[in-house]
Amino acid sequence: MIQKEVFSERLKAAMKKQNVKQIDLVRAAQSQGIKLGKSHISQYVSGKTVPRTDILLFLAKTLQVEEKWLIGISDMESDTAISANKNRDLLDKNDTSNTIQTTSAEIISRDISNKEERTMREFKKSSKLDNVLYDVRGPVVDEAARMEEAGTHVLKLNIGNPAPFGFRTPDEVIYDMRQQLTDCEGYSNAMGLFSARKAIMQYAQLKHIPNVNINDIYTGNGVSELINLCMSALLDTGDEILIPSPDYPLWTACATLAGGKAVHYICDEESEWYPDINDIRKKINDHTKAIVIINPNNPTGALYPKEVLEQIVQVAREHQLIIFSDEIYDRLVMDGEKHISIASLAPDLFCVTFSGLSKSHMIAGFRVGWMILSGNKAMAKDYIEGLNMLSNMRLCSNVPGQSIIQTALGGHQSVEDYIMPGGRVYEQREFIYKALTDIPGISAVKPKAAFYIFPKIDTKKFNIVNDEQFVLDLLREKKVLLIHGGGFNWKQPDHFRVVYLPRIEVLKKATTGMAEFLSTYHQ
């Protein structure tokens, strides 16, 4: 039992001893991030109420007294020389009408005297995360955030998020979502709305993906969720999966987190960043379950021709591998090229094809993605049961996002205006390629799709041994944010990724800064 009168008298005595006013306590609390108003202090001083445990501890520490003394369960005053006799007199005034039940304060107070003898329990992250890498939002980005908090403006060329760079969602898509919001308040089918999956199925038909019905389509909170779901359902400890290097790092991270081993095959810069088929063959063994392709590619912007895709299919056929094809940028292809879904070339294999609206319709924040199961589903019957289980466990994906898929995939595709000569993405691609390759010590393969370029830096010229340090140095000196090649599981410290979504005037400022920086840089 805490006596309000006892607490009030002792609080006032301690404040007097320390020459502390009520406003001083309020300010001290604010400096420590503790919510404590002057009205609260007034109620404590007047004896109308007593504080909760965290405020009690703050008051005792600030006034340099023992917590137990302050609440009246001890006569030990600590550093405050207030008469013990007076305290005992106050305790004798045991008016039950002025007492309240303490929830945990008395127990906590009793434990405080022993706190020096106890070891605090420490919670650490799971060891499953020890080898997980996701530097697209990693230490370099953390440093940029710190700089921004300090008032520094940072030019961000690090993440493929169209909206902040002035790319707008088609008006019709926004209108349709507004019209359907009241119909999207409940859960949908775990696999997705019928209308959404029907539209995706028809899209798959246009891409010539074989053997697809509406129950082979799953919507997701972006492709990212579905990648994680697929890896979790497939991989056991010791299983291996082939993933390109450089890659979109979520693939490697999800495979690792699922307990599998990501085995990276090389994409050859000298051959337009196409997968090295011989390297793929060398890295297949009895533990290999699947191969991942990212086409169009992030981070290189490469687009794989039919001949390369056919070679990958042949390797997968020889070893009966699942093919996972990340095709989120399939509608962002330039120079008159056409994207080919690898699943259209592999009707006898089990394929999972990923796509969505984040990039093509500039609505990354809506988190609208999907995956399509196709080909020989008989060989993956048990795996599909696992996919269904995990799909059901997350209940469903974002229903308002699903509601616009049918509208987004039908009619005029506004993204086509961006990727034609004169369009923003096309012209920014042209600018960034020339601006970067004009810098001494920088070379690059011109991207054919998406909105990324993956330049090579002459490590001998600049004595670069740590690519992460290079982008950190650039960030701190020129306020330009990039992601180093190592963030995409590229082993050599000689590449970095640039997102060319900003307008040309911003790209010009960034590349001018990079040129100035590299004119004197030596690691």
Side-chain angles (χ1 to χ4, degrees):
M1 305 289 283
I2 299 179
Q3 296 181 334
K4 290 185 281 188
E5 185 179 348
V6 172
F7 175 76
S8 170
E9 292 299 325
R10 292 191 175 187
L11 176 63
K12 288 187 286 187
M15 290 171 64
K16 182 177 180 180
K17 178 65 178 178
Q18 297 297 330
N19 193 26
V20 171
K21 295 182 173 60
Q22 293 184 28
I23 191 62
D24 297 325
L25 290 174
V26 173
R27 289 170 178 164
Q30 287 177 342
S31 69
Q32 297 180 39
I34 297 172
K35 292 184 178 180
L36 181 63
K38 195 171 185 300
S39 62
H40 298 122
I41 299 292
S42 297
Q43 288 184 327
Y44 305 153
V45 169
S46 64
K48 292 181 180 178
T49 186
V50 293
R52 63 179 187 266
T53 303
D54 58 331
I55 301 298
L56 171 65
L57 299 180
F58 161 74
L59 292 171
K61 181 179 178 181
T62 304
L63 297 171
Q64 300 179 31
V65 295
E66 290 291 334
E67 296 88 349
K68 291 195 290 184
W69 175 83
L70 194 57
I71 61 177
I73 63 172
S74 170
D75 289 335
M76 298 299 294
E77 305 169 13
S78 185
D79 297 333
T80 306
I82 305 170
S83 169
N85 291 329
K86 182 177 180 181
N87 296 336
R88 278 192 291 274
D89 291 339
L90 291 168
L91 283 166
D92 289 337
K93 299 177 182 179
N94 190 18
D95 181 0
T96 57
S97 65
N98 290 335
T99 61
I100 64 168
Q101 288 285 346
T102 173
T103 54
S104 60
E106 190 171 335
I107 297 171
I108 293 174
S109 297
R110 224 174 4 248
D111 290 341
I112 287 170
S113 60
N114 298 322
K115 64 184 178 183
E116 298 298 332
E117 302 171 12
R118 289 166 34 178
T119 302
M120 181 179 70
R121 183 179 181 184
E122 182 181 0
F123 294 93
K124 297 184 177 181
K125 69 177 183 293
S126 167
S127 59
K128 291 183 291 186
L129 293 170
D130 287 347
N131 297 310
V132 173
L133 171 79
Y134 193 73
D135 280 351
V136 172
R137 298 195 183 210
V140 180
V141 179
D142 292 342
E143 174 65 10
R146 185 198 64 76
M147 292 169 62
E148 287 186 314
E149 288 173 2
T152 302
H153 176 66
V154 175
L155 296 177
K156 295 180 179 179
L157 309 182
N158 67 306
I159 192 165
N161 187 16
F165 302 109
F167 288 93
R168 300 266 60 90
T169 308
D171 291 342
E172 189 176 359
V173 170
I174 298 297
Y175 175 80
D176 278 19
M177 177 177 279
R178 285 175 176 167
Q179 293 296 107
Q180 298 180 81
L181 273 178
T182 56
D183 297 325
C184 299
E185 295 172 352
Y187 296 129
S188 73
N189 179 289
M191 298 173 73
L193 294 171
F194 177 85
S195 62
R197 290 186 290 144
K198 187 73 172 180
I200 296 166
M201 185 184 77
Q202 291 169 341
Y203 183 72
Q205 292 170 351
L206 294 176
K207 302 286 288 187
H208 306 292
I209 298 176
N211 191 21
V212 175
N213 63 56
I214 200 162
N215 292 321
D216 297 321
I217 294 163
Y218 301 70
T219 61
N221 294 303
V223 167
S224 301
E225 180 191 41
L226 298 171
I227 291 172
N228 192 18
L229 189 150
C230 283
M231 297 298 98
S232 297
L234 179 68
L235 298 173
D236 289 319
T237 301
D239 287 341
E240 296 184 4
I241 181 168
L242 292 164
I243 297 175
S245 174
D247 71 343
Y248 176 56
L250 185 73
W251 278 104
T252 297
C254 288
T256 303
L257 192 58
K261 179 182 178 182
V263 177
H264 292 103
Y265 64 85
I266 295 298
C267 293
D268 186 2
E269 186 171 16
E270 299 300 317
S271 299
E272 300 287 325
W273 285 115
Y274 297 156
D276 184 328
I277 304 301
N278 289 330
D279 192 54
I280 291 173
R281 289 185 179 278
K282 290 176 185 176
K283 290 174 177 173
I284 295 175
N285 59 44
D286 292 341
H287 300 289
T288 308
K289 277 192 168 181
I291 183 169
V292 173
I293 71 165
I294 304 172
N295 178 42
N297 189 265
N298 174 13
T300 66
L303 178 70
Y304 302 160
K306 184 177 181 181
E307 308 78 63
V308 170
L309 296 174
E310 286 175 334
Q311 292 179 67
I312 295 171
V313 168
Q314 184 57 35
V315 172
R317 183 175 289 126
E318 291 171 10
H319 298 276
Q320 297 190 71
L321 303 179
I322 295 174
I323 297 176
F324 292 106
S325 186
D326 185 342
E327 301 180 0
I328 190 68
Y329 301 97
D330 68 343
R331 294 178 292 285
L332 282 156
V333 176
M334 291 171 275
D335 304 325
E337 301 279 355
K338 295 294 182 184
H339 175 266
I340 299 172
S341 286
I342 193 170
S344 68
L345 307 174
D348 56 323
L349 301 177
F350 180 64
C351 300
V352 184
T353 304
F354 302 84
S355 194
L357 303 181
S358 294
K359 313 300 182 178
S360 63
H361 288 72
M362 313 301 172
I363 48 175
F366 286 17
R367 310 309 299 130
V368 183
W370 59 77
M371 64 181 182
I372 303 167
L373 313 186
S374 66
N376 187 355
K377 285 167 279 188
M379 67 189 297
K381 182 179 178 181
D382 193 61
Y383 174 51
I384 294 172
E385 288 181 6
L387 292 176
N388 289 333
M389 179 185 296
L390 293 180
S391 179
N392 289 334
M393 286 168 60
R394 51 104 205 221
L395 299 178
C396 68
S397 67
N398 170 20
V399 181
Q402 294 182 51
S403 73
I404 60 170
I405 292 175
Q406 185 176 38
T407 298
L409 290 181
H412 174 67
Q413 298 296 295
S414 60
V415 69
E416 294 176 3
D417 300 331
Y418 293 127
I419 58 178
M420 300 294 289
R424 269 194 65 183
V425 174
Y426 180 93
E427 296 300 332
Q428 288 161 196
R429 189 272 308 258
E430 294 294 293
F431 175 84
I432 197 69
Y433 173 72
K434 185 177 188 307
L436 287 172
T437 53
D438 281 348
I439 300 173
I442 300 291
S443 60
V445 175
K446 191 174 185 178
K448 294 180 179 178
F451 30 67
Y452 311 106
I453 188 169
F454 199 58
K456 184 175 184 178
I457 188 165
D458 188 336
T459 54
K460 292 182 179 179
K461 178 179 176 66
F462 304 107
N463 194 39
I464 293 175
V465 294
N466 184 327
D467 54 351
E468 185 174 47
Q469 188 60 52
F470 159 65
V471 294
L472 271 171
D473 292 340
L474 175 65
L475 171 65
R476 288 167 178 156
E477 184 170 328
K478 292 298 181 180
K479 319 302 184 287
V480 176
L481 176 59
L482 308 173
I483 301 298
H484 58 293
F488 302 94
N489 291 292
W490 184 256
K491 301 306 179 185
Q492 301 303 317
D494 58 356
H495 282 77
F496 57 92
R497 190 188 74 170
V498 178
V499 176
Y500 54 85
L501 282 170
R503 293 187 181 276
I504 287 176
E505 54 266 30
V506 178
L507 295 175
K508 184 175 182 179
K509 183 177 180 180
T511 52
T512 299
M514 291 172 61
E516 292 172 353
F517 173 78
L518 288 171
S519 66
T520 59
Y521 186 69
H522 195 263
Q523 202 171 83

